[in-house]
Amino acid sequence: MNRPAILALEDGSIFKGTAIGADGQTSGEVVFNTSMTGYQEIITDASYARQIVTLTYPHIGNTGINAEDVESDGIQTAGLVIRDLPLLASNFRSEQTLSEYLSEHKVVGIADIDTRRLTRILRDKGSQSGAILAGADAEGDDAEARALGLAKAFPGLEGMDLARKVSCKTPYEWNQGEWMLGEGYPDVSETERPYHVVAYDYGVKRNILRTLASLGCRLTVVPATTSAQEVLTMKPDGIFLSNGPGDPEPCNYAIEAIRELLGSGVPIFGICLGHQLLALASGGRTVKMKFGHHGANHPVQELATGKVLITSQNHGFAADDETLPETLRVTHRSLFDGSLQGIERTDVPAFSFQGHPEASSGPHDVASLFGRFIEMMQVRR
């Protein structure tokens, strides 16, 4: 735990700390996440591809790592920044330490820096291109200059199509339900699931699929580039548009497919990137946010009822409500900055939400949106 590490931001800020995880170097967009729990779910969420995640909660790694609480096949973040890595990881489900997990997946990280100072920079100046050098790469008189050069060379996420890169390559069936203590994830392949849902994988989180499966959905997961005609030949009762990383506007293949699917009358439900893509397919635009929403404590208002919901969030782009066509109605707004959080089509059965109702990790205040999707499929039948 005495290996050096350096974090550099494009604005010239330098942080020196201790390397955790693998030796080497990485670059990406540096963002901060205010969640107090769920570090394992965060770093395995494909929505964080090409991002270096700073966790503002000071003690990360307390409960170790287990094989169950993952949202993908491995670590998706470009790097990890934390204040303190506890010497002891203790939990009855723990199988390895956070540092061991990072090393296993060849991901670099840095600890023992002032994450409060870093978060203030990102809050005031916006998300920054950054770089981490760890271990032998962080040694030498020119280490800071090399880190700064690597940070400035990262082009940023605007215009970057990452959904295509993190998506599955071939369709597959999903047969895993929600986790239960002492039992893990049940196999639901033999249970009655009356609704066939085709789920677009733009970087889908596994807990979203588990939630849908537990609610009676037989799931076929398809690659991000799958055409509308291919999906319709599967005769779905519903279509799900998943979360994912990067800028939604370059994803022309997805926008065109969704636009065609909207004309089919099949109910559509989008989350996160899927929400932004639904807005684009309907004629709206998206914008890059200053520092985005990343955390599990974001208040969102449901406009129809006035109810305030605490939500889990992870996005750096947002649908621009000033560009929405008449066929879209705003359903939810962020109480942090007023940004658009939910929309629904007024002419066809389609709606979406910016946050993460599957709440892995986070609160379950908006889990009822999955029930709404089920009801839409019932009505169509």
Side-chain angles (χ1 to χ4, degrees):
M1 293 301 296
N2 58 356
R3 293 174 297 134
I6 295 172
L7 167 67
L9 304 181
E10 62 177 301
D11 72 345
S13 301
I14 299 290
F15 298 81
K16 292 184 177 182
T18 303
I20 58 173
D23 286 355
Q25 60 185 35
T26 190
S27 63
E29 181 185 71
V30 184
V31 298
F32 65 90
N33 185 301
T34 58
S35 299
M36 296 177 67
T37 62
Y39 56 85
Q40 184 172 341
E41 292 92 330
I42 290 168
I43 63 176
T44 57
D45 179 357
S47 295
Y48 282 113
R50 298 308 304 271
Q51 290 183 313
I52 296 172
V53 177
T54 303
L55 297 174
T56 61
Y57 188 71
H59 303 296
I60 300 297
N62 309 55
T63 55
I65 297 290
N66 65 75
E68 291 183 323
D69 293 344
V70 294
E71 293 294 343
S72 65
D73 290 332
I75 298 177
Q76 303 290 338
T77 56
L80 181 64
V81 181
I82 65 173
R83 172 67 185 89
D84 177 64
L85 179 68
L87 294 176
L88 176 66
S90 178
N91 185 272
F92 74 101
R93 298 173 66 219
S94 178
E95 298 169 4
Q96 63 183 149
T97 67
L98 173 59
S99 188
E100 289 170 344
Y101 189 56
L102 291 170
S103 295
E104 177 185 312
H105 290 272
K106 297 179 173 55
V107 176
V108 302
I110 182 171
D112 299 326
I113 72 163
D114 187 351
T115 51
R116 294 172 300 178
R117 175 188 161 221
L118 173 57
T119 301
R120 289 192 195 101
I121 293 172
L122 300 177
R123 182 192 63 191
D124 295 341
K125 297 183 178 181
S127 299
Q128 298 266 311
S129 293
I132 299 174
L133 305 186
D137 286 53
E139 297 176 349
D141 296 338
D142 64 340
E144 291 185 22
R146 285 187 283 111
L148 185 57
L150 188 61
K152 291 183 175 181
F154 183 73
L157 294 184
E158 283 192 84
M160 193 174 289
D161 174 8
L162 296 177
R164 188 197 302 261
K165 295 182 179 180
V166 301
S167 179
C168 61
K169 305 306 178 188
T170 56
Y172 64 92
E173 302 294 317
W174 181 268
N175 295 305
Q176 199 176 74
E178 291 179 302
W179 185 85
M180 292 183 287
L181 181 63
E183 298 181 30
Y185 298 110
D187 183 347
V188 296
S189 57
E190 300 301 321
T191 62
E192 183 180 357
R193 291 177 291 163
Y195 307 106
H196 180 211
V197 172
V198 174
Y200 271 96
D201 177 13
Y202 305 126
V204 67
K205 293 179 70 176
R206 290 178 174 176
N207 215 49
I208 292 175
L209 300 176
R210 294 172 186 135
T211 301
L212 288 169
S214 295
L215 290 173
C217 296
R218 179 170 57 87
L219 289 159
T220 302
V221 184
V222 298
T225 56
T226 305
S227 71
Q229 285 305 311
E230 289 178 87
V231 169
L232 293 175
T233 57
M234 300 177 189
K235 301 188 183 306
D237 297 300
I239 297 164
F240 176 73
L241 313 175
S242 84
N243 63 289
D247 188 343
E249 289 199 352
C251 302
N252 293 326
Y253 51 89
I255 297 167
E256 292 171 6
I258 296 166
R259 189 176 292 129
E260 187 173 343
L261 290 167
L262 285 167
S264 70
V266 179
I268 296 176
F269 175 31
I271 287 176
C272 190
L273 183 66
H275 158 79
Q276 297 159 17
L277 291 171
L278 178 62
L280 290 167
S282 300
R285 298 294 302 272
T286 55
V287 294
K288 181 75 166 69
M289 304 177 75
K290 183 177 179 180
F291 48 78
H293 291 167
H294 310 280
N297 59 345
H298 287 237
V300 170
Q301 187 169 43
E302 184 179 68
L303 300 184
T305 64
K307 183 185 295 185
V308 176
L309 310 165
I310 305 303
T311 68
S312 181
Q313 301 274 330
N314 172 25
H315 62 107
F317 292 82
D320 183 359
D321 56 354
E322 294 184 1
T323 68
L324 298 185
E326 293 182 357
T327 54
L328 280 179
R329 178 189 297 125
V330 178
T331 59
H332 297 78
R333 283 196 183 279
S334 167
L335 293 183
F336 274 165
D337 57 14
S339 61
L340 193 150
Q341 281 282 320
I343 55 175
E344 63 182 4
R345 286 285 295 248
T346 59
D347 56 340
V348 294
F351 74 105
S352 60
F353 187 72
Q354 180 62 79
H356 285 259
E358 90 291 340
S360 184
S361 60
H364 295 85
D365 290 20
V366 287
S368 61
L369 293 178
F370 288 106
R372 181 182 176 188
F373 185 42
I374 301 295
E375 290 173 3
M376 290 171 66
M377 291 188 284
Q378 289 175 336
V379 169
R380 184 169 187 268
R381 281 192 170 184

